Amino acid sequence: MRGKKKNRAFAFIITFAMLFIIFGSHITAEAEVNLGDPSSPFSYADILDGDMHETGEITLVAYSGTDTKIVIPSTIDGKTVVGLDEFFLWERYDIEEVVLPDTLQYICMHAFSFTSITEIVIPEGVKSISDYAFMACNNLKKITLPSTLQDATGAFYSSGVGCLEEINVSEDNPYFTSSDGILFNKDKTILMKYPNGRTGKYTVPESVKTIGYTAFEGSNLDRVYLPEGLEYIADKAFSSSRIQSVFVPDTVETFGYEVVDSSSNTRPVLLGSEGSTVYYYTQGYSYDFADPAKAFSDIDENAFYYIPSLWASQTEPKITSGMSGNKFKPFNMCNRAQMITFLWNAKGCPDADLTNNPFTDVSESDFYYEAILWAKQAGITSGKTATEFDPMGPCSRGQFVIFLWRACGRLEVEFESEFADVTAGTDLSKAVSWACFNHITSGVTATKFKPSTSLNRAQAVTFLCHARRSLTMYD
């Protein structure tokens, strides 16, 4: 990746042309790399004026030192440090702390990408932080932005900052503000970035009219509630996140491109009113939609299976319609026939070419007949024995995870689970490892998966909901 610096002269032409626009005529479109004092760990580029004379200002190109904590000087070789170039600390995983000089004016693209910094204070005087500046800074928890900052929206694009807890902005900044560590524009009509490291639920303030580009990208929240009066959700607002659901009001009129990640199992279910803009948006892109007005009477909104139960009862084809009296009966145990039928429905009710029914305890009149023949043909299960399926027998956690894993293509992951009650090298171990890696389920405790425990309806629809994208990829 260091090869990206090959054509440095051309990169500076582009970089400083932009900086000329932002910072004035004392910065020109040309500069050249100067290694400076051989004993210094910093290489830099001189900034030239319109007559190609040095201005006495420099931008730092790279750091070659070995210190894990860097204090960047305000001057080097008698020249003032005003900028950090593209890829300044690219892939310096050893760097844990950076102190920036008060002479700094701009930070270029990827300047801190792939470092191990945990906190950074951007000093007063900095006007611009370019796109992806903090990408993959996975230890970064806190960022402080100055009053002089004019442009920083792109700094958080594709950030991958999985543990970021707060973004704070100087109260004197005329362009941005922060509230509870969340980044907004000054009048709080645009939510620009929500810190990825937070979990739980979040209700967006009523003043917000726009959810900004990648605002919740990579978020670890469980649910997001958008306010009445919201009008626009920008591109990739909830992409690559682990958000289970987003409650979208009828006031939203416009959606950007790929508001949720179409290729992810963990994409949120968008909740709203049937017939609303969000409903038609999800239909057009085959995203997951559910109407909370159709929720079951025996499921509390705070239950972990609330969203999966909505999805399972409203997706097409339905996984389950619930029980009588608008009840879901979440704690009813599932038998093997029900589990295979749930899985068959989730796969889109595929036809089975198998015409010879090998199971003596399954008849053509049974509701699960087609599902079991499909499962046998697809290699998802071979039955309890060669001639018996045991449809009324209980379905365990281990059995269903194996069924699910096989239905999703038998993908193997790089690590193997280390649960004490799961034997390594078996299909169960491969299935459990895959399910844990993809956040489909986890152990009952830190050391026990409890594969023999019977599965209930709440757990079954949760497993399926979490695996829904993988299920449709391997038909």
Side-chain angles (χ1 to χ4, degrees):
M1 300 301 290
R2 301 290 292 186
K4 290 181 180 287
K5 293 187 178 181
K6 283 183 183 178
N7 299 317
R8 179 61 64 184
F10 177 75
F12 282 127
I13 290 173
I14 301 301
T15 299
F16 287 100
M18 295 301 297
L19 293 173
F20 178 85
I21 295 172
I22 297 174
F23 299 112
S25 59
H26 68 286
I27 295 176
T28 75
E30 297 189 31
E32 60 182 48
V33 176
N34 187 332
L35 297 179
D37 185 346
S39 66
S40 172
F42 298 101
S43 56
Y44 63 82
D46 288 292
I47 297 173
L48 310 179
D49 64 19
D51 295 321
M52 305 303 291
H53 298 139
E54 293 182 7
T55 63
E57 296 179 327
I58 58 175
T59 183
L60 298 187
V61 173
Y63 172 76
S64 60
T66 57
D67 291 340
T68 61
K69 297 181 179 180
I70 305 173
V71 177
I72 297 177
S74 59
T75 61
I76 297 177
D77 296 339
K79 303 172 182 180
T80 304
V81 176
V82 297
L84 302 180
D85 189 36
E86 295 179 5
F87 307 101
F88 170 57
L89 294 177
W90 177 265
E91 290 187 338
R92 287 298 303 265
Y93 295 101
D94 55 317
I95 304 299
E96 299 174 355
E97 182 179 335
V98 179
V99 178
L100 302 176
D102 58 10
T103 55
L104 203 65
Q105 298 178 34
Y106 56 88
I107 297 170
C108 292
M109 183 183 295
H110 290 299
F112 302 103
S113 292
F114 298 96
T115 61
S116 297
I117 57 175
T118 57
E119 179 179 347
I120 191 161
V121 177
I122 308 300
E124 290 293 328
V126 171
K127 297 180 181 179
S128 174
I129 305 176
S130 296
D131 295 359
Y132 312 107
F134 305 105
M135 190 179 84
C137 292
N138 291 323
N139 295 325
L140 183 59
K141 292 187 176 182
K142 184 177 179 180
I143 298 175
T144 301
L145 304 176
S147 65
T148 52
L149 192 67
Q150 300 174 16
D151 179 17
T153 305
F156 302 102
Y157 292 170
S158 300
S159 59
V161 184
C163 64
L164 186 62
E165 295 175 354
E166 57 181 303
I167 304 168
N168 295 318
V169 183
S170 167
E171 293 182 358
D172 297 327
N173 189 296
Y175 303 100
F176 308 105
T177 189
S178 59
S179 176
D180 190 31
I182 302 159
L183 183 64
F184 299 87
N185 68 333
K186 190 63 177 181
D187 62 3
K188 293 182 70 173
T189 56
I190 303 173
L191 192 156
M192 304 181 73
K193 185 62 182 177
Y194 188 90
N196 294 358
R198 299 185 183 185
T199 58
K201 304 173 184 177
Y202 177 63
T203 299
V204 175
E206 293 182 0
S207 62
V208 173
K209 303 299 181 184
T210 296
I211 301 299
Y213 181 76
T214 71
F216 288 89
E217 182 186 46
S219 176
N220 288 295
L221 286 171
D222 179 37
R223 299 179 192 175
V224 175
Y225 297 85
L226 304 181
E228 290 292 335
L230 189 77
E231 298 171 357
Y232 177 55
I233 302 177
D235 297 359
K236 299 183 180 296
F238 300 97
S239 66
S240 303
S241 75
R242 293 178 61 185
I243 299 171
Q244 277 196 36
S245 62
V246 179
F247 290 74
V248 182
D250 292 349
T251 55
V252 174
E253 299 174 350
T254 311
F255 292 84
Y257 174 72
E258 283 200 346
V259 164
V260 300
D261 190 344
S262 59
S263 63
S264 173
N265 272 328
T266 55
R267 66 186 181 191
V269 177
L270 300 180
L271 304 182
S273 303
E274 190 168 331
S276 64
T277 303
V278 67
Y279 170 77
Y280 290 110
Y281 174 75
T282 58
Q283 300 304 297
Y285 288 93
S286 299
Y287 293 154
D288 302 294
F289 172 84
D291 187 344
K294 299 180 180 180
F296 294 102
S297 60
D298 58 345
I299 296 183
D300 185 84
E301 184 181 322
N302 295 312
F304 73 85
Y305 46 86
Y306 173 72
I307 300 303
S309 71
L310 287 177
W311 168 80
S313 61
Q314 296 184 43
T315 190
E316 290 296 337
K318 289 182 174 61
I319 310 302
T320 176
S321 297
M323 311 294 276
S324 61
N326 193 36
K327 293 186 181 296
F328 187 75
K329 301 290 183 70
F331 303 116
N332 280 15
M333 293 298 131
C334 292
N335 59 41
R336 287 166 54 82
Q338 290 170 325
M339 285 292 87
I340 288 297
T341 303
F342 282 5
L343 187 56
W344 181 63
N345 288 337
K347 290 288 289 182
C349 304
D351 293 331
D353 297 328
L354 189 66
T355 56
N356 181 27
N357 175 17
F359 302 119
T360 59
D361 54 355
V362 176
S363 65
E364 192 169 352
S365 60
D366 294 326
F367 73 84
Y368 45 82
Y369 178 76
E370 289 287 337
I372 288 175
L373 289 189
W374 161 78
K376 168 67 174 175
Q377 175 187 301
I380 291 168
T381 177
S382 56
K384 201 76 169 181
T385 69
T387 58
E388 293 184 340
F389 184 79
D390 189 24
M392 298 299 111
C395 186
S396 67
R397 281 169 52 85
Q399 287 175 342
F400 192 58
V401 167
I402 290 175
F403 293 166
L404 192 56
W405 172 66
R406 290 171 178 167
C408 291
R410 299 174 181 261
L411 299 178
E412 295 187 28
V413 295
E414 293 182 2
F415 79 97
E416 192 163 9
S417 64
E418 298 181 353
F419 295 109
D421 52 359
V422 175
T423 303
T426 61
D427 270 9
L428 175 61
S429 180
K430 294 174 183 177
V432 168
S433 300
W434 165 81
C436 291
F437 179 79
N438 288 286
H439 308 291
I440 291 165
T441 184
S442 59
V444 175
T445 70
T447 59
K448 297 286 183 71
F449 186 78
K450 297 199 174 180
S452 299
T453 302
S454 295
L455 201 70
N456 60 37
R457 288 169 54 80
Q459 294 166 332
V461 295
T462 300
F463 284 17
L464 289 168
C465 185
H466 290 174
R468 61 191 185 275
R469 177 60 181 165
S470 292
L471 283 165
T472 59
M473 288 175 66
Y474 296 94
D475 293 328

